[in-house]
Amino acid sequence: MRDNALRGVTRSTRALPTVAKPPRRAHLKRMERYDVIILGGGLVGLTLATALDAHGLTAAVVDPADPAATLAAGFDGRASAVASASWRMLEAIGIGDRLAGLGCPIRSIEVSEGIAPGGLSFEPDAADGPLGIMFENRVLRAALHAAAADAPRVTLHMQSRAEEVLRDAAGVRVRLSEGKWIAAPLLIGAEGRASPTRESSGIRVARWRYDHVAMIASVSHALPHGNVAHEIFYPAGPFAILPMLNDAEGRHRSAIVWTVNAADAPATLALPERAFAAEAEKRCGGRLGAMAMAGPRSSYPLGFHHAAKITAERLALVGDAAHGIHPIAGQGLNLGFRDVAALTQVLVEGARLGLDLGDAQLLARYERWRGLDTFLVAAATDGLTRLFGVRGRTASAVRRFGLGAVQRIAPLRQRFMAEARGETGTLPRLLEGLTV
């Protein structure tokens, strides 16, 4: 006999030849139960699972990827800037020790219109600490995976898929690809930009493509970077130089994110290594001296998306499943970390009150907390992308005037630095370095 509680469920299935029957009562008794089920074991999903474990909540993480592949040295050549507030959260949940000494502090940020003199410089007092820390993504992924694997209240279902998801007033039930069912009061979508959970839930998304492609590479250079990050704006898109630790031979290294017009992307990516390095050296005005390639190149098309809602019945979205922005300000991963901090606080405080973790009021609190912040950051990065893409001398002169004005007006400059640190708005306790 089917469980009466399974009537009227919200059902999400992958493309299967037949639809599996809902779990019978006997299966319901045997299925593993958790406080949350997280679909997606990337940087944001694993951070959320570890943060919940640090506060006594259980989580199942379901991800189809093979850890042996995703943790391999050549899997992902990208690097990410972890803002200072995000770093405080990683320290608070026990991941900071695993990453100690593996990232390069960003002591200042310089923003300019091309290589013309002037521009904007963000350099906080030394007592305030760095604006952020640059990590290779593979280093972040390895530390987060190890932390989640060691967490006593986290169960990793790797190389597994959610073949069927049932959500209703009674809770969430998920049938995994190996046939077993797991259950929780709340489902969390953390699968990235193409989140099937978001799509199957009918959540509308505002999205568009930029006519840009981002080239990602690491380079070595003759001169030290001085822990300075550069954002140089060209009509075709921004060119970012992000400081990294020296390599094993002591060579100075930086990561570059080079935005080019989509039509030029194939030819740029196909340049011989020496030519690619020479073009990168030219675009940063030679300020780091002679450059050479220090790793493989990759590229990805740039786009924008923002979910109209980040919650539904017994569902919350985090990270790129909820929002995807242009990398112009390097805030994409940090927005996901801010989601983690807010959702962790909402769930932990709800659990202490004895509330159902899938309760609509708890999810509404998370929606209010994160909805406005993510929208404002997304709108700001989109606006900057379009503003600096306007061609012509007049537009360039206006931009240089604006950068100079921000440099001269201390409150404005402080506001921009606070945003770079991830310290604007009502901060969750984790972003202050405190447990909930």
Side-chain angles (χ1 to χ4, degrees):
M1 179 182 295
R2 294 183 181 179
D3 184 354
N4 291 334
L6 294 174
R7 295 176 182 170
V9 297
T10 300
R11 181 190 300 271
S12 168
T13 61
R14 303 295 187 262
L16 299 172
T18 59
V19 176
K21 295 180 180 180
R24 298 178 182 274
R25 286 186 185 276
H27 295 160
L28 288 171
K29 291 179 181 179
R30 292 197 306 267
M31 73 171 60
E32 296 173 6
R33 297 180 179 275
Y34 304 91
D35 291 313
V36 302
I37 296 171
I38 302 171
L39 301 184
L43 300 180
V44 172
L46 290 175
T47 302
L48 177 59
T50 307
L52 293 173
D53 169 80
H55 292 85
L57 298 182
T58 60
V61 179
V62 182
D63 193 285
D66 179 359
T70 60
L71 297 177
F75 175 74
D76 187 349
R78 292 176 296 174
S80 296
V82 175
S84 57
S86 299
W87 176 247
R88 287 195 290 270
M89 177 181 71
L90 295 179
E91 288 186 308
I93 62 177
I95 297 173
D97 289 343
R98 296 175 184 268
L99 290 168
L102 300 179
C104 183
I106 300 174
R107 303 292 180 188
S108 64
I109 300 174
E110 294 189 0
V111 182
S112 63
E113 167 84 4
I115 56 175
L120 180 59
S121 178
F122 300 111
E123 186 170 2
D125 295 334
D128 294 333
L131 291 163
I133 304 175
M134 280 297 302
F135 288 99
E136 295 175 69
N137 277 14
R138 64 181 182 84
V139 170
L140 282 174
R141 185 175 293 104
L144 288 166
H145 189 275
D150 291 344
R153 286 170 286 271
V154 175
T155 301
L156 298 177
H157 296 276
M158 308 307 287
Q159 295 181 268
S160 180
R161 296 180 181 274
E163 296 289 359
E164 187 173 10
V165 177
L166 307 172
R167 291 186 288 114
D168 63 12
V172 177
R173 280 80 73 206
V174 174
R175 181 171 64 84
L176 303 179
S177 51
E178 57 267 35
K180 72 188 297 183
W181 287 86
I182 58 176
L186 179 65
L187 181 71
I188 297 167
E191 305 125 313
R193 290 181 176 239
S195 169
T197 298
R198 181 193 66 222
E199 297 302 317
S200 65
S201 300
I203 295 175
R204 291 180 298 171
V205 180
R207 70 175 93 219
W208 52 82
R209 280 283 186 90
Y210 299 108
D211 190 28
H212 291 158
V213 170
M215 303 294 197
I216 312 298
S218 59
V219 295
S220 62
H221 39 84
L223 303 177
H225 49 56
N227 298 93
V228 180
H230 299 271
E231 188 90 22
I232 306 170
F233 288 95
Y234 291 101
F239 183 92
I241 315 165
L242 307 166
M244 297 177 66
L245 295 178
N246 291 350
D247 65 14
E249 285 74 40
R251 289 174 295 194
H252 307 305
R253 288 192 309 155
S254 291
I256 62 172
V257 183
W258 178 3
T259 304
V260 301
N261 290 324
D264 299 330
T268 305
L269 194 63
L271 286 172
E273 285 197 353
R274 290 181 62 182
F276 189 96
E279 285 297 318
E281 180 183 333
K282 178 180 176 181
R283 275 163 174 71
C284 69
R287 64 191 70 191
L288 294 178
M291 287 187 169
M293 301 307 298
R297 287 169 275 171
S298 61
S299 67
Y300 63 94
L302 298 180
F304 172 100
H305 73 266
H306 194 274
K309 295 171 54 182
I310 58 173
T311 62
E313 183 180 30
R314 296 193 175 274
L315 172 66
L317 302 178
V318 294
D320 284 353
H323 39 71
I325 61 175
H326 196 288
I328 191 170
Q331 289 300 307
L333 177 59
N334 291 295
L335 273 183
F337 283 157
R338 283 150 80 165
D339 293 343
V340 167
L343 185 56
T344 297
Q345 183 160 332
V346 167
L347 295 179
V348 170
E349 291 178 349
R352 287 174 183 163
L353 294 173
L355 298 178
D356 179 343
L357 295 188
D359 183 81
Q361 292 185 4
L362 282 182
L363 297 182
R365 183 187 175 200
Y366 171 63
E367 178 92 46
R368 289 192 302 268
W369 201 344
R370 295 301 303 138
L372 180 60
D373 177 55
T374 57
F375 175 78
L376 291 176
V377 173
T381 56
D382 181 67
L384 283 173
T385 300
R386 297 179 188 279
L387 172 64
F388 280 91
V390 178
R391 299 175 182 270
R393 291 185 178 180
T394 301
S396 179
V398 170
R399 289 191 292 265
R400 287 199 301 273
F401 174 80
L403 292 174
V406 173
Q407 182 67 32
R408 292 189 299 272
I409 302 172
L412 271 179
R413 195 169 67 255
Q414 292 297 325
R415 171 72 184 187
F416 276 94
M417 277 200 292
E419 190 62 55
R421 288 182 177 276
E423 296 175 347
T424 55
T426 304
L427 289 186
R429 288 177 61 83
L430 281 175
L431 295 184
E432 297 176 333
L434 305 171
T435 55
V436 179

